[in-house]
Amino acid sequence: MLTAFNVSKWPTQNAELKTWVIEMAEMCQPDALVWVDGSEEEKQRLEKEALATGELILLDQQKWPGCLYHRTAANDVARTEHLTYICTPSQEEAGPNNNWMSPEEGYKKAGALFNGSMKGRTMYVIPFSMGPVGSPFAKIGVELTDSIYVVLNMRIMTRMGEKVLQKLGPDGAFTRCLHSKADLDDTRRLILHFPHDNAIWSVGSGYGGNVLLGKKCLSLRIASFLARSEGWMAEHMLIMGVENPSGHIVYIAAAFPSACGKTNLAMLIPPEGLKHKGYRIWTVGDDIAWMRIDTDGKLWAVNPETGFFGVAPGTNMQSNPNAMLTVKKNTIFTNVVLTPDKGIWWEGMDGDVPQEGINWEGKPWKPGMVDDTGNKVHGAHPNSRFTAPVTQCPSISNRIEHHHGVPIDAIVFGGRRAHLAPLVYEAFDWKHGVFIGATMASERTAAQFGKQGEVRRDPMAMLPFCGYNMGHYFQHWLDMGKKMDKAPKIFNVNWFRLDDDGRFMWPGFGENLRVLEWIMDRCMNTAGSKRTAIGYIPKARDLDLAGLDIPETTMEKLLSIDKNDWLEEVRDIEAFFKTFGSAMPQEMYNQLEGLAERLKQ
Ligand code: GTP
Ligand code: SPV
Ligand code: MN
């Protein structure tokens, strides 16, 4: 048990911070307390310690320089949305999109789990900044954690350490982020957000999105709440720049639900057929965008993170070469296969499949293994991930440190829909675009617990991440549109349409540039389209399909809508809207009515 705090030696003059750290340490009762400074020396010391306990495993340093391996508990491999709560005074404020607990109940329930949870462990204090330190976008947080894995991940994902404490100063505001692995028991796990207190309490988990509190918890749930009252936007979006041959860069922000292709699109490599045109892609971010209206009346975005926490399976030199090059060094791999020669592997990786290894559950594994019920045993968990610094990405934009970010010309929504949604369509205007975002739906993936494949509504890809009632969130989107002189155009894409045999109709990945090209040309009013009930859809000849071998009939299907299916969709949307009661803006119902009328014409 830590007996004296030695507060006079702490590297901060911030009274609120000191008081809070003392209180939390008194509750969690760690044996030691360490202020993280972000130095290289500290990194090496922490790695050494974690390697000694087996928390981390050192990979072959010839093949994987600077790379580490980690496994989380088998019951702890994805975000647990059913254990994630928004704790506001009233349930109405959290909305039907969130699990809700009163703040009193939340502090009490989680407090009981935090009580003594760090006995025998060290509490690390991590000051971090989301957004470039000192940028008008940036928000400071301090995470207390008993996990070295968390410290090392936060070191990649955020700007952290001494420089952040300096910026915080004696009276700066910060988000109070408390995390303890406790006993990693999923019946004693809670991920709680207290937006009015600017606080996050996460206990009983060691998995990424549950415990890297700067990520989804701060940068989306708490930030979305702050953004509404401060007049900006915190979104589950990638940010990319598409440079055309004349050197002009169009910046696009795109919201796809978890494991639906943000990382892939953000790092896109132009396909063979379009290479001669000389497009270049610049990656700004792959998961989170903070956007505000600048003095020019346009929407500007920053990526508040400094790392990628990307899905590993399916990543290879074909599907995402830039990601493969990014993870070659200084990367933490979580829940992938560990091979006997201290290498790693995941389903869909390049090269030979290893003959044996230790899988994500920590069990001996061989390719082709099946379990008692005849199901394939995964080597890597479908939601296994890599944590890698953005600076290692060959396509990284030179504007990631820019304090004002990048100007956004187009916002793109998209989901995983086997049927219904065409390859791409454009909203009539901002309000209609907000409606399109609000009615997004997607099939559930491995990034969250629950039945995979089930279609669920996931407005703006923010269903698990909006820190307040989404009815009010839609109103905030409508309000933002009114405040902009030149609002981005809004589009919807769907790379995931299936044919009757269950195969993807669109080749996807690099070929998606063909769709982005149309989007960019629409932004510059140089591309054709046809007006349909759901929005502007390109005709096949409006897309550059040179070198692509897609039957004409498939293209036609990809760019058409089935009115009966869409009328059924209208009924489903109405039922969804009704769950928000009076919080749902009337404008959303007007949009729905407009869609229904156009479909009946
Ligand atoms: P989070 O990090 O969970 O927020 O997700 P993300 O949106 O960054 O997901 P990511 O890019 O890692 O998505 C990976 C999944 O999408 C893999 O299953 C890919 O195979 C699939 N995917 C990505 N792009 C395409 C595409 O253009 N077509 C098809 N069919 N699949 C794609
Ligand atoms: C997601 O699930 O959307 C992710 C991974 O990006 S996590 O950080 O776990 O939320
Ligand atoms: Mn995500």
Side-chain angles (χ1 to χ4, degrees), residues 79 207-210 215-216 236 258 262 287 309 385 447 465:
R79 283 180 293 101
Y207 166 74
N210 288 339
K215 198 170 176 55
K216 294 309 191 335
H236 190 201
S258 303
K262 288 187 299 301
D287 199 44
F309 185 60
R385 299 212 171 221
F465 307 120

Side-chain angles (χ1 to χ4, degrees), residues 491-544:
F491 298 83
N492 193 88
V493 299
N494 179 21
W495 317 136
F496 298 93
R497 271 289 273 275
L498 298 182
D499 63 16
D500 295 338
D501 299 322
R503 282 175 308 219
F504 289 119
M505 292 165 79
W506 177 250
F509 301 98
E511 306 295 348
N512 293 334
L513 181 61
R514 299 171 192 275
V515 173
L516 295 185
E517 185 182 40
W518 182 76
I519 288 176
M520 288 190 304
D521 291 348
R522 289 296 293 173
C523 290
M524 292 185 265
N525 298 314
T526 57
S529 72
K530 59 175 185 276
R531 193 185 159 95
T532 74
I534 66 166
Y536 300 109
I537 301 183
K539 298 181 284 297
R541 67 176 138 85
D542 297 322
L543 297 174
D544 185 344

Side-chain angles (χ1 to χ4, degrees), residues 37-38 133 158-168:
D37 61 19
V133 179
T158 73
R159 298 153 175 98
M160 55 100 99
E162 229 165 61
K163 55 186 183 282
V164 177
L165 277 187
Q166 268 166 28
K167 180 71 204 166
L168 183 66

